[in-house]
Amino acid sequence: MVHPGLLWGIGNKLTFGNRLAFELGSGRYGFTPLLNRGFTLGKANVFAELVLPVRFGNDQEVSFTAALHFGIGF
């Protein structure tokens, strides 16, 4: 998958982004808007991210999914 995109800081440790999606081999494509929030836990920088992937193509119905990602920044 190729998933390039842009991110914009919108204040209060929030980031809005939008990525394009090209699923190699499947013929599917689409976009993935996201909202990311950073936190500090002790000495660690962590984040939570809401992603909303939308996919089209390859004679399949449009798909929409919501997901949460959690991680540690470094």
Side-chain angles (χ1 to χ4, degrees):
M1 174 181 297
V2 179
H3 213 210
L6 297 173
L7 302 170
W8 296 272
I10 57 175
N12 198 26
K13 295 187 180 182
L14 284 169
T15 302
F16 171 77
N18 197 17
R19 294 180 173 163
L20 297 175
F22 304 97
E23 297 183 8
L24 304 175
S26 75
R28 306 269 295 161
Y29 58 92
F31 60 93
T32 306
L34 62 92
L35 187 62
N36 179 300
R37 172 78 159 89
F39 302 91
T40 303
L41 282 176
K43 294 182 179 182
N45 293 315
V46 298
F47 69 90
E49 181 175 79
L50 172 66
V51 294
L52 303 167
V54 179
R55 300 294 183 267
F56 311 93
N58 199 19
D59 296 325
Q60 297 179 22
E61 292 186 20
V62 174
S63 64
F64 172 79
T65 306
L68 290 174
H69 297 164
F70 300 96
I72 298 172
F74 52 91

